[in-house]
Amino acid sequence: MTEKFIRDALILWTTIDPIGTLAIFSAITARMTSSERKRTAIKAIFYASVILVCSVVVGQLLLSAMGIRLISLQLAGGLILFLFGLKMIFGDMNKDVKTGEESGHDIAVFPLAVPSIATPGAIMAVILLTDNHVYPIPVQAVTTLIMLGVMAITFLLMLAAGPIIRVIGNNGSAILVKVMGMILAALSIEFVMEALKVAQWMGGDPIT
């Protein structure tokens, strides 16, 4: 059982990706004050944690009841992430951050909580790692605690974004936005390609 928990920790660390989240957070909050950045980090971690805990509790039942396959969730998440990556590359993220509250868009929800922290991979991982047909409740509870531990580390890294931004400056943050946009776009393509490969394996239809 110890090996399972170690494996769970590695999988959750990889899918939640605290380091990648730090880079994205630093890029899109570069023009915020320290207090605004901290408040955004708290909200993003809270929302993402609620999403992942709900995925543990009812995710499997909800997807089954709605007839939605996990692979469909991954494909949708990949497409959404790709669109946001394009926006980071060709748009003005600093303007979006400044006007986010007026337009009703909270960046703590999108893109930080979803899909940067609670990624499609993370949602699928917590559902699979707490499969109701395989693992008893106590084991699922430990896996959930491991997930929350990874979220706590992610939050601490997000709090370190301030010193990073002070070092790289406004020009550096603008460059970071474009670079992270390219990385997000590439990551989204990986999500889509993996979903298509799984769909091919499940359906047997050739996908090129």
Side-chain angles (χ1 to χ4, degrees):
M1 194 58 65
T2 301
E3 292 181 358
K4 170 188 162 41
F5 294 143
I6 294 175
R7 185 182 72 251
D8 289 356
L10 293 174
I11 292 174
L12 291 170
W13 177 273
T14 302
T15 53
I16 295 174
D17 190 12
I19 304 300
T21 297
L22 169 61
I24 297 171
F25 181 79
S26 299
I28 65 178
T29 62
R31 297 297 180 89
M32 289 184 175
T33 64
S34 178
S35 59
E36 289 174 336
R37 194 177 300 114
K38 182 177 181 180
R39 184 166 60 250
T40 300
I42 293 174
K43 290 166 64 177
I45 289 295
F46 174 75
Y47 295 145
S49 297
V50 169
I51 291 169
L52 293 179
V53 170
C54 288
S55 297
V56 170
V57 177
V58 298
Q60 189 174 358
L61 296 175
L62 183 61
L63 291 179
S64 298
M66 297 178 65
I68 299 175
R69 295 181 297 176
L70 293 178
I71 197 62
S72 301
L73 181 66
Q74 181 173 350
L75 182 58
L79 294 175
I80 293 171
L81 198 61
F82 179 74
L83 293 176
F84 182 74
L86 292 181
K87 188 175 183 180
M88 291 180 69
I89 297 171
F90 299 109
D92 187 352
M93 288 299 299
N94 290 326
K95 180 180 179 181
D96 292 339
V97 169
K98 288 181 179 179
T99 60
E101 292 186 0
E102 290 90 347
S103 64
H105 171 218
D106 189 350
I107 64 169
V109 178
F110 176 85
L112 288 176
V114 180
S116 296
I117 302 175
T119 64
I123 294 173
M124 286 192 296
V126 296
I127 292 176
L128 294 175
L129 294 176
T130 58
D131 191 331
N132 297 329
H133 303 296
V134 179
Y135 306 109
I137 296 299
V139 174
Q140 295 184 40
V142 174
T143 299
T144 302
L145 290 176
I146 292 173
M147 180 270 293
L148 293 175
V150 174
M151 298 296 284
I153 295 173
T154 303
F155 175 68
L156 293 177
L157 289 175
M158 292 168 73
L159 293 182
I164 294 174
I165 293 172
R166 284 195 293 270
V167 170
I168 65 177
N170 290 334
N171 290 334
S173 66
I175 295 173
L176 183 60
V177 168
K178 305 301 181 183
V179 173
M180 289 310 303
M182 294 178 62
I183 293 175
L184 282 179
L187 180 61
S188 68
I189 296 299
E190 291 294 326
F191 281 147
V192 172
M193 290 178 62
E194 183 179 348
L196 293 177
K197 288 180 181 178
V198 173
Q200 179 184 19
W201 177 79
M202 294 176 64
D205 297 324
I207 297 177
T208 56

